[in-house]
């Protein structure tokens, strides 16, 4: 990343003036199976994120032609989720948005049934499911006419979700923030294999932040992209500027992996607290109670919502930091990505095909 202050002069600061897309170029949408399925203008989805995925961000993404996502379990009760859904609907009237519904391993799980009922009752058009054993929830949402996008980190799980009725798969590579699984397979292989094995459309997730990557993901067979960390570094993201500044300053080496010893690997921002977690895991591997006080969600909620200090908690971030140089609006980011992808697809790629003279 670079200094965020240097990027305020232009909505497309990464490009020289001569290469910045014109207003006509910005309006050109990319049509894929995912834009048709989700009824969105651009094949760009904002993934669910704890203590980030509130109505304000989701609505900004949806208003910009993508698909914004409200995170269900960030809301402490189902009725608070209902209020957040209604707020999102009021902020992006007539635009689709999603709710993330993640099944977390827990000794005291939340009332998933009550959260699911709220999603259905509020007529949310799309749900992003994630986590283990999603079968009953995919069936429930499908029964009530909700489009299901299931996020997974392995082709085996993607095939299972497809068999269970998921309409679309979000294929999450090892580069992603949060939980990349335990297989350590990068997106380049995962996405190419998904194209060979899946029948339903899929979106690429993990490490994505610019139009060049959008074009690459479409070439690999994906019908769109899902982004989390990149949307954290936008003006509408409801987190403190200190976190956004850390994402701009950071690079592709600014993450680390924690909780590997307990089989719940998480990619997080590299700081002293994350290093302490790793040191404890090395001394007492497999003991979640030894690190629980350091990896608590309440710690990073305070960082995101109160202090803005990136160094006092363990928080999810992806290696896409290496491509984050500014804090644009969601509309600027999406328009720039689509314009850059279109330029590569329409201009650069055709130029490398040499036609036979026969």
């Amino acid at each position: 990343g670079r200094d965020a202050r240097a990027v305020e002069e232009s909505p497309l600061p990464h490009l020289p003036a001569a290469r910045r897309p014109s207003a006509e170029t910005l309006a050109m949408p990319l049509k894929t199976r995912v834009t048709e399925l989700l009824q969105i203008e651009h094949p760009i989805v904002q993934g669910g994120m704890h203590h980030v995925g509130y109505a304000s961000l989701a609505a900004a993404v949806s208003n910009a032609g993508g698909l914004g996502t409200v995170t269900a379990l960030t809301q402490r009760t189902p009725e608070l989720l209902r209020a957040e859904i209604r707020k999102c609907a009021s902020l992006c009237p007539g635009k689709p948005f999603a709710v993330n519904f993640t099944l977390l391993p827990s000794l005291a799980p939340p009332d998933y049934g009550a959260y699911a009922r709220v999603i259905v009752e509020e007529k949310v058009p799309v749900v992003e499911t994630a986590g283990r054993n999603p079968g009953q929830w995919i069936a429930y949402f499908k029964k009530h006419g909700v489009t299901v996008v299931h996020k997974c980190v392995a082709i085996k799980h993607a095939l299972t979700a497809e068999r269970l009725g998921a309409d679309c798969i979000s294929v999450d590579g090892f580069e992603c923030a949060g939980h990349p699984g335990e297989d350590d397979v990068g997106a380049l292989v995962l996405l190419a294999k998904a194209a060979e094995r899946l029948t339903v459309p899929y979106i690429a997730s993990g490490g994505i932040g610019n139009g060049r990557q959008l074009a690459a993901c479409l070439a690999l067979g994906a019908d769109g992209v899902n982004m989390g960390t990149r949307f954290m570094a936008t003006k509408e993201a409801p987190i403190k500027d200190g976190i956004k500044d850390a994402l701009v300053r950071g690079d592709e080496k600014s993450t680390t992996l924690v909780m590997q010893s307990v089989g719940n690997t998480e990619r997080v921002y590299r700081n002293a607290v994350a290093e302490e977690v790793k040191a404890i895991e090395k001394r007492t591997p497999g003991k979640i109670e030894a690190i629980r006080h350091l990896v608590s969600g309440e710690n990073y909620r305070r960082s995101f919502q109160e202090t803005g200090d990136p160094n006092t908690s363990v928080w999810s971030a992806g290696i896409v930091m290496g491509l984050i140089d500014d804090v644009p609006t969601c509309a600027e980011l999406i328009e720039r990505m689509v314009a850059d992808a279109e330029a590569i697809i329409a201009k650069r790629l055709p130029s490398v095909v040499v036609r036979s003279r026969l």
Side-chain angles (χ1 to χ4, degrees), residues 338-349:
V338 172
D340 287 355
E342 188 205 344
I344 289 167
I345 294 165
K347 295 173 185 171
R348 182 177 188 274
L349 294 183

Side-chain angles (χ1 to χ4, degrees), residues 5-56:
R5 285 175 292 280
V7 303
E8 298 298 328
E9 299 168 10
S10 164
L12 301 173
H14 69 306
L15 293 177
R19 290 210 300 118
R20 287 184 197 136
S22 66
E24 291 81 19
T25 309
L26 291 178
M28 293 289 286
L30 298 167
K31 183 178 178 182
T32 71
R33 290 186 296 171
V34 160
T35 59
E36 296 290 291
L37 175 69
L38 304 181
Q39 294 295 292
I40 53 180
E41 185 181 1
H42 304 302
I44 297 174
V45 176
Q46 168 243 320
M49 295 174 280
H50 263 312
H51 306 302
V52 183
Y54 294 98
S56 54

Side-chain angles (χ1 to χ4, degrees), residues 69 99 142 151 184 211 216 329:
T69 303
V99 170
K142 293 282 291 175
K151 180 180 283 190
D184 300 3
T329 66

Side-chain angles (χ1 to χ4, degrees), residues 7-258:
V7 303
E8 298 298 328
E9 299 168 10
S10 164
L12 301 173
H14 69 306
L15 293 177
R19 290 210 300 118
R20 287 184 197 136
S22 66
E24 291 81 19
T25 309
L26 291 178
M28 293 289 286
L30 298 167
K31 183 178 178 182
T32 71
R33 290 186 296 171
V34 160
T35 59
E36 296 290 291
L37 175 69
L38 304 181
Q39 294 295 292
I40 53 180
E41 185 181 1
H42 304 302
I44 297 174
V45 176
Q46 168 243 320
M49 295 174 280
H50 263 312
H51 306 302
V52 183
Y54 294 98
S56 54
L57 176 60
V61 174
S62 289
N63 281 328
L67 185 77
T69 303
V70 170
T71 304
L73 294 184
T74 288
Q75 303 299 324
R76 294 189 312 278
T77 69
E79 287 308 307
L80 286 172
L81 174 61
R82 189 188 304 278
E84 198 70 12
I85 289 170
R86 290 180 178 179
K87 180 180 178 183
C88 188
S90 72
L91 291 172
C92 59
K95 299 281 189 178
F97 62 92
V99 170
N100 167 274
F101 183 83
T102 298
L103 303 161
L104 300 169
S106 173
L107 294 174
D111 186 349
Y112 287 116
Y115 280 93
R117 282 192 297 276
V118 165
I119 292 169
V120 166
E121 287 166 5
E122 294 301 315
K123 296 183 168 46
V124 175
V126 182
V127 69
E128 177 192 59
T129 56
R132 296 169 189 165
N133 303 316
Q136 74 176 100
W137 303 110
I138 291 176
Y140 176 79
F141 290 123
K142 293 282 291 175
K143 176 184 168 186
H144 290 92
V146 182
T147 298
V148 175
V149 179
H150 184 69
K151 180 180 283 190
C152 43
V153 296
I155 298 299
K156 176 177 71 173
H157 301 151
L159 290 168
T160 299
E162 181 180 73
R163 190 177 70 249
L164 290 169
D167 299 288
C168 178
I169 305 296
S170 182
V171 178
D172 221 6
F174 184 58
E175 300 88 340
C176 71
H179 300 282
E182 311 304 316
D183 296 339
D184 300 3
V185 180
L188 201 60
V189 169
L190 208 54
L191 296 174
K193 189 164 184 178
E196 295 180 355
R197 302 293 302 278
L198 296 176
T199 302
V200 297
Y202 67 96
I203 55 178
S205 182
I208 296 159
N210 67 24
R212 190 178 299 279
Q213 292 171 300
L214 172 56
C217 290
L218 293 173
L220 283 163
D223 282 281
V225 297
N226 176 84
M227 304 191 303
T229 304
R230 175 65 268 205
F231 276 121
M232 289 174 68
T234 57
K235 285 189 168 62
E236 297 94 341
I239 56 176
K240 294 291 186 181
D241 285 345
I243 302 298
K244 299 178 189 185
D245 290 343
L247 294 172
V248 172
R249 287 195 309 270
D251 61 23
E252 64 273 22
K253 302 182 293 296
S254 299
T255 75
T256 191
L257 299 171
V258 298

